[in-house]
Amino acid sequence: MATPTNQVFIAVIGAGGVGKSFLSQLAALAARKPTPKLSLCYISSSKKAAFNSEYSIGIETALQELASSSKQPLSLPQLADHLAAAPAKAVLVDNTSSQDVADAYPLFLSRGISVVTPNKKAFSGSYKLWQDIFTAAATAGSKVYHESSVGAGLPVISTLKDLVDTGDEVTKIEGVFSGTMSFLFNSFAPVEGSGGQWSAEVKKAKELGYTEPDPRDDLNGLDVARKLTILARLAGLPVESPTSFPVQSLIPKELESVSSGDEFLEKLPGFDSQMEETKSAAEKQGKVVRFVGSIDMTSKSVKVGLEMFDKSHPIAALKGSDNIISFYTKRYGSNPLIIQGAGAGGDVTAMGVTSDLIKVLSQIA
Ligand SMILES: NC(=O)C1=CN([C@@H]2O[C@H](COP(=O)(O)OP(=O)(O)OC[C@H]3O[C@@H](n4cnc5c(N)ncnc54)[C@H](OP(=O)(O)O)[C@@H]3O)[C@@H](O)[C@H]2O)C=CC1
Ligand SMILES: N[C@@H](CC=O)C(=O)O
Ligand code: NA
């Protein structure tokens, strides 16, 4: 039987802040662009899944179907089998931050299943996983896109790929790469006024959907380190892992061994004085403190941490969860190519995922 080319099956793992926004953008996309026909065939959280032998879940009703389902999620190899047996091509959308799901991308890709994701774990894990992912995709002809793994929906990865693919040479990448850290410092240590309480701002960032599922993954600097690992690799620096360069953590020493994110948030107000000291030290010099990262391609060095900025500096003047990312290249000379805008939040992150899906559809359907 010929494989229909006018239909694509979509499997979604993860229905949190980004996953929910993605589903509503998928519903709008399916309504706006009837070709190829987009069929949602699987949706799961960590505990439950909705799927059936007809490969058909209502996109609009997916969250209700998931909530009322009594099915356990398929194991990742079972899901790969299920999608490989679908009557047309399939795309896996990973909206989790799971390392296990990320580790399975080579399996999905080698079975012809394309992957789109905002999950940083695969592209910032071991360099071997990175190679396995792109080798599996190249061998099987499947596609893999991860725009929202850096700067949420901002066109950071596509821009860097375009620079490299057109023969430009990146010399340095620097800026603010975390929506959470941007929000925290913009509200805790604003250019004007006194700012809020550190621990209260951390809670707000979580409520606004900016943080990782566990906010300690933002505060320990690892989220930014992961993003820099991804960008460094794309720019041609084969960084081994996000822990292979200096990363400053903002987790108080006393809370390093706390077992859960919730307990950490409960105890954090007891350590607000530590961040207050950092803020005052900058204020004494007429500056503000911000959490930044940089990749220097010439010296092959990557670093992540706090720096002080004059109040007139563009990094000091960021608002909300904005990221600012400057690409210094041979072609752009001393005036970098700069990308700026919201770097976290469900809708802007899902936008990057949905636009990646559209790119995949244009190549496979
Ligand atoms: N939020 C943001 O602004 C941005 C997020 N991202 C990335 O997007 C991804 C999702 O973030 P976000 O939506 O905020 O996170 P949430 O915590 O809101 O949602 C995560 C979802 O993934 C599910 N999940 C976790 N592990 C598994 C698993 N092994 N199998 C199936 N489902 C699983 C969770 O299920 P359950 O509810 O059962 O635990 C939940 O539905 C992360 O990788 C994050 O780094 C990237 C850019 C910006
Ligand atoms: N927690 C991350 C989400 C996007 O990658 C951030 O705050 O930037
Ligand atoms: Na992006």
Side-chain angles (χ1 to χ4, degrees):
M1 191 179 73
T3 305
T5 52
N6 58 351
Q7 186 172 17
V8 172
F9 291 95
I10 316 278
V12 177
I13 313 187
V18 176
K20 288 191 177 84
S21 291
F22 170 74
L23 283 171
S24 77
Q25 291 179 20
L26 181 65
L29 176 67
R32 218 171 42 242
K33 286 188 176 229
T35 312
K37 180 172 188 273
L38 298 178
S39 301
L40 183 67
C41 67
Y42 182 89
I43 173 136
S44 77
S45 66
S46 64
K47 296 166 204 81
K48 286 178 165 201
F51 57 97
N52 52 45
S53 52
E54 290 79 43
Y55 288 84
S56 180
I57 307 281
I59 300 177
E60 313 263 3
T61 55
L63 292 171
Q64 291 96 294
E65 289 192 45
L66 178 61
S68 60
S69 173
S70 53
K71 288 183 178 146
Q72 297 270 316
L74 293 173
S75 70
L76 294 163
Q78 283 170 336
L79 180 57
D81 286 344
H82 183 66
L83 297 181
K89 287 196 172 153
V91 179
L92 174 71
V93 181
D94 171 20
N95 286 323
T96 74
S97 60
S98 160
Q99 184 69 55
D100 290 344
V101 179
D103 288 343
Y105 294 172
L107 169 67
F108 285 94
L109 291 162
S110 67
R111 306 282 310 265
I113 299 151
S114 295
V115 173
V116 301
T117 184
N119 184 352
K120 289 149 239 177
K121 298 275 166 66
F123 311 96
S124 60
S126 72
Y127 197 66
K128 181 179 181 308
L129 178 58
W130 169 276
Q131 287 171 316
D132 288 350
I133 286 170
F134 293 104
T135 304
T139 309
S142 44
K143 310 294 166 196
V144 53
Y145 281 86
H146 54 105
E147 180 57 80
S148 282
S149 63
V150 181
L154 296 176
V156 177
I157 288 181
S158 55
T159 300
L160 177 54
K161 279 187 182 165
D162 286 348
L163 288 168
V164 172
D165 289 350
T166 58
D168 202 352
E169 194 184 316
V170 178
T171 50
K172 192 167 66 170
I173 306 172
E174 64 180 18
V176 171
F177 297 86
S178 162
T180 297
M181 292 294 204
S182 187
F183 172 82
L184 290 178
F185 285 98
N186 298 339
S187 45
F188 164 71
V191 171
E192 303 279 339
S194 55
Q197 183 198 6
W198 176 255
S199 55
E201 298 302 333
V202 173
K203 271 196 186 145
K204 256 190 241 166
K206 181 163 171 55
E207 281 156 19
L208 288 165
Y210 297 159
T211 67
E212 292 305 291
D214 184 336
R216 291 176 295 178
D217 290 338
D218 296 285
L219 295 177
N220 65 11
L222 199 53
D223 177 76
V224 174
R226 287 188 183 286
K227 290 167 179 162
L228 293 188
T229 300
I230 295 171
L231 295 181
R233 287 173 177 177
L234 287 171
L237 193 65
V239 169
E240 182 46 44
S241 82
T243 53
S244 60
F245 50 86
V247 177
Q248 184 176 1
S249 169
L250 303 186
I251 306 270
K253 283 249 164 307
E254 299 82 343
L255 296 184
E256 272 172 1
S257 54
V258 159
S259 60
S260 75
D262 287 343
E263 188 188 345
F264 171 77
L265 287 176
E266 241 168 65
K267 293 189 167 156
L268 190 59
F271 300 88
D272 277 341
S273 58
Q274 296 186 4
M275 286 307 296
E276 284 295 339
E277 278 168 30
T278 306
K279 175 168 145 177
S280 320
E283 271 168 2
K284 278 187 193 132
Q285 298 182 40
K287 298 188 178 196
V288 289
V289 66
R290 296 290 184 261
F291 198 83
V292 295
S294 65
I295 302 164
D296 187 322
M297 296 295 290
T298 314
S299 63
K300 298 187 176 17
S301 60
V302 185
K303 62 179 177 166
V304 172
L306 290 172
E307 278 181 31
M308 289 187 218
F309 291 89
D310 287 335
K311 292 185 178 176
S312 58
H313 193 284
I315 285 185
L318 289 178
K319 300 273 181 280
S321 70
D322 279 7
N323 286 183
I324 183 166
I325 293 151
S326 302
F327 290 107
Y328 289 84
T329 76
K330 283 257 157 72
R331 203 180 276 152
Y332 277 82
S334 53
N335 292 343
L337 186 167
I338 300 174
I339 297 170
Q340 180 175 346
D347 286 345
V348 294
T349 306
M351 172 258 179
V353 180
T354 309
S355 64
D356 279 350
L357 175 64
I358 292 169
K359 286 182 185 136
V360 171
L361 294 175
S362 72
Q363 295 171 75
I364 65 167

